[in-house]
């Protein structure tokens, strides 16, 4: 029906044109310079319509060509995307070789950054250093942001392989450009790997300020760094430098209490028992801790009588402390005050009997020749230690 109306309209237009041409053919003159073109009006109209038709036809052909090109491009892009997705799936399944082949396929042009990074990780799983470098070098050539991502991953993989010195070189280059959180966190791993406690400790303010780790994790990291510095000073054998370091910790409000049981053996190893005792007396005065009292008693003082005098002063406020009585007994042994040592051990046993106190009494009484009592305390100590023997028949002694 529609075609009928179109044909009818065309016939009417043709009939009208024929009548108009018969009535008056018209006249058109086109002049350009010395050139002139003459024709009737209707021929000019026909030429114009033909030109318009040709222009429309050319436009239609170009439009169709563009659509075909887009469709072909979309087809290729879809193929590349599907190939990349298959590579990611293979990577997630641990199929490292297949993943790398799909992600770095030559048919993928251009390749997304993620393809290079995942291919580098797949090469890492394959222990292929060359494959890692090739993937990351190709990623770094894309642009500055891609270069940074590639270098970060390079440092991370170097750390995973235990190449701490190489990782530090990579991270130092990144650190000079900016201070990204990822760089700082990787530096923490690198400094721990090379046991650089001072550099590790220098990162703590940034970690806290930017909240890059939980507070508990930062506190643990701080203790590890301080222990590393303490060990380095102990190895250096300079007691003066060790004490100066300890004083600076106090000014910086570092967690010294957790390090006290570690600096005391360090000072003793360097032959500085008196400073060790002073540190312990200051710490006990600030906060009473029975573990520190026992540590105080374990120090072989150059002046044991003075050590005993300071410890006995604590009885005024802590007479009911079994640990203090045990510590005093041990200090009395160092002063060769056997009777006094026995009194303190017996007081400790009365307050809170345990295996350690029993063994101290057994050792002292055996030295004093009181063997039956020493045997009784030794038996009690074993029982309190959970080493009681089962009830079994035994031979009777003959008299």
């Amino acid at each position: 029906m529609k075609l009928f109306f179109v044909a009818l309209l065309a016939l009417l237009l043709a009939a009208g044109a024929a009548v108009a041409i018969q009535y008056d053919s018209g006249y058109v003159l086109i002049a350009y310079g010395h050139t002139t073109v003459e024709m009737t009006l209707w021929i000019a109209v026909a030429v114009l319509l033909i030109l318009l038709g040709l222009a429309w036809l050319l436009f239609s052909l170009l439009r169709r060509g563009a659509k075909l090109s887009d469709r072909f491009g979309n087809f290729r892009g879809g193929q590349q995307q599907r190939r990349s997705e298959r590579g990611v799936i293979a990577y997630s399944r641990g199929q490292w070789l297949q993943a790398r082949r799909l992600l770095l396929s030559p048919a993928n042009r251009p390749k997304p950054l993620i393809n290079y990074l995942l291919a580098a990780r797949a090469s890492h799983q394959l222990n292929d250093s060359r494959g890692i470098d090739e993937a990351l070098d190709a990623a770094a050539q894309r642009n500055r942001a891609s270069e940074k991502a590639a270098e970060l991953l390079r440092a991370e993989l170097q750390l995973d392989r235990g190449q701490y010195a190489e990782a530090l070189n990579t991270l130092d280059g990144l650190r000079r450009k900016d201070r990204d959180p990822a760089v700082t966190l990787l530096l923490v791993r690198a400094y721990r790997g090379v046991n650089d406690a001072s550099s590790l400790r220098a990162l703590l303010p940034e970690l806290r300020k930017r909240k890059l780790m939980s507070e508990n994790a930062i506190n643990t990291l701080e203790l590890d760094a301080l222990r590393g510095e303490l060990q380095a000073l102990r190895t250096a054998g300079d007691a003066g430098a060790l004490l100066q370091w300890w004083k600076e910790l106090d000014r910086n409000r570092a967690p010294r209490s957790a390090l006290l049981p570690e600096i005391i053996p360090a000072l003793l190893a360097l032959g500085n028992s008196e400073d060790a005792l002073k540190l312990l007396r200051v710490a006990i005065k600030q906060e009473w801790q029975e573990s520190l009292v026992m540590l105080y008693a374990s120090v072989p003082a150059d002046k044991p009588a003075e050590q005993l005098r300071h410890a006995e002063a604590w009885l005024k406020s802590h007479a009911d402390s079994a640990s203090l009585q045990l510590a005093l007994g041990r200090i009395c042994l160092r002063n060769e005050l056997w009777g006094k040592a026995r009194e303190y051990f017996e007081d400790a046993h009365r307050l809170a009997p345990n295996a350690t106190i029993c063994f101290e009494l057994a050792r002292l009484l055996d030295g004093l020749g009181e063997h039956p009592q020493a045997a009784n305390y030794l038996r009690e100590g074993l029982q309190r230690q959970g080493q009681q023997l089962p009830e079994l028949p035994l031979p009777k002694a003959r008299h």
Side-chain angles (χ1 to χ4, degrees):
M1 193 70 177
K2 184 178 180 181
L3 182 60
F4 172 75
F5 283 111
V6 171
L8 181 60
L9 179 61
L11 287 173
L12 292 174
L13 289 174
V19 172
I21 292 172
Q22 196 173 30
Y23 175 75
D24 188 0
S25 60
Y27 178 76
V28 175
L29 174 65
I30 301 174
Y32 182 77
H34 299 290
T35 302
T36 60
V37 177
E38 298 180 10
M39 68 185 76
T40 64
L41 172 63
W42 302 108
I43 293 177
V45 170
V47 171
L48 179 60
L49 290 175
I50 291 171
L51 291 175
L52 289 175
L54 290 174
W56 177 82
L57 180 61
L58 179 61
F59 175 76
S60 299
L61 291 174
L62 291 175
R63 188 176 179 185
R64 286 188 179 185
K67 286 182 178 180
L68 288 174
S69 177
D70 289 343
R71 287 179 183 177
F72 182 71
N74 291 337
F75 175 74
R76 287 191 58 189
Q79 279 191 323
Q80 292 181 10
Q81 183 177 356
R82 286 190 293 272
R83 194 177 295 109
S84 295
E85 288 176 354
R86 286 164 52 202
V88 172
I89 292 171
Y91 179 87
S92 67
R93 292 177 176 175
Q95 299 169 344
W96 313 122
L97 276 172
Q98 183 181 1
R100 184 171 67 177
R101 178 177 60 80
L102 290 168
L103 292 167
L104 297 181
S105 171
N108 290 343
R109 294 180 181 274
K111 296 178 182 64
L113 174 62
I114 189 64
N115 283 35
Y116 292 111
L117 300 184
L118 284 181
R121 288 188 179 277
S123 297
H124 172 65
Q125 296 295 337
L126 294 168
N127 199 26
D128 183 359
S129 300
R130 181 178 178 182
I132 294 172
D133 291 337
E134 288 177 353
L136 293 179
D137 290 344
Q141 293 174 4
R142 292 168 54 88
N143 51 55
R144 187 174 181 276
S146 298
E147 179 185 5
K148 186 174 182 181
E151 291 305 301
L152 279 172
L153 181 56
R154 193 190 305 275
E156 181 183 343
L157 298 182
Q158 287 169 338
L159 290 172
D160 290 344
R161 287 178 286 168
Q163 299 172 342
Y164 299 111
E166 294 84 346
L168 275 175
N169 288 334
T170 303
L171 291 169
D172 285 342
L174 290 169
R175 186 80 164 174
R176 285 192 294 269
K177 296 176 182 177
D178 47 43
R179 291 177 174 263
D180 274 356
V183 177
T184 304
L185 293 174
L186 290 175
L187 278 172
V188 170
R189 291 181 56 190
Y191 288 140
R192 296 187 80 165
V194 297
N195 295 318
D196 189 347
S198 297
S199 297
L200 181 60
R201 191 177 164 205
L203 292 177
L204 294 174
E206 182 179 351
L207 292 172
R208 283 197 169 96
K209 182 179 179 180
R210 303 176 71 176
K211 298 182 180 179
L212 300 182
M213 301 172 67
S214 69
E215 192 61 30
N216 288 337
I218 294 175
N219 291 338
T220 300
L221 189 64
E222 182 175 20
L223 278 176
D224 290 344
L226 291 172
R227 288 189 178 103
E229 290 182 342
L230 191 156
Q231 184 60 38
L233 290 168
R234 178 175 177 172
T235 303
D238 189 344
L242 184 58
L243 287 171
Q244 182 61 33
W245 173 82
W246 185 257
K247 291 177 182 178
E248 291 176 358
L249 290 189
D250 188 34
R251 285 196 293 268
N252 296 330
R253 299 182 180 180
R256 298 203 313 175
S257 58
L259 295 169
L260 192 61
E262 299 181 40
I263 192 174
I264 298 304
L267 288 171
L268 295 179
L270 297 177
N272 198 337
S273 60
E274 292 307 310
D275 282 318
L277 290 171
K278 289 178 183 178
L279 291 181
L280 284 168
R281 285 196 291 268
V282 171
I284 292 170
K285 183 178 180 180
Q286 292 174 346
E287 181 182 1
W288 177 262
Q289 294 184 37
E290 295 190 340
S291 60
L292 295 182
V293 174
M294 298 306 301
L295 184 60
Y296 181 83
S298 69
V299 177
D302 296 335
K303 300 175 182 178
E306 184 178 341
Q307 182 184 20
L308 178 61
R309 178 173 58 81
H310 282 290
E312 285 181 329
W314 298 329
L315 284 171
K316 295 178 182 179
S317 52
H318 300 284
D320 58 347
S321 170
S323 295
L324 176 57
Q325 301 287 351
L326 174 60
L328 287 168
R330 287 176 169 174
I331 297 174
C332 286
L333 291 180
R334 191 168 283 113
N335 282 275
E336 299 184 4
L337 301 174
W338 318 127
K340 202 170 186 180
R342 178 175 184 172
E343 292 177 4
Y344 281 128
F345 287 147
E346 289 176 344
D347 287 343
H349 186 269
R350 186 181 69 257
L351 289 169
N354 59 44
T356 301
I357 296 172
C358 292
F359 292 147
E360 286 290 8
L361 279 166
R363 180 170 66 171
L364 175 60
L365 293 176
D366 185 65
L368 293 173
E370 300 182 25
H371 303 300
Q373 283 184 285
N376 289 337
Y377 278 118
L378 180 61
R379 189 179 302 109
E380 180 185 348
L382 291 173
Q383 291 174 349
R384 292 187 181 280
Q385 234 182 9
Q387 299 183 19
Q388 185 175 3
L389 296 176
E391 294 291 339
L392 295 172
L394 294 172
K396 294 182 181 180
R398 295 180 180 180
H399 298 286

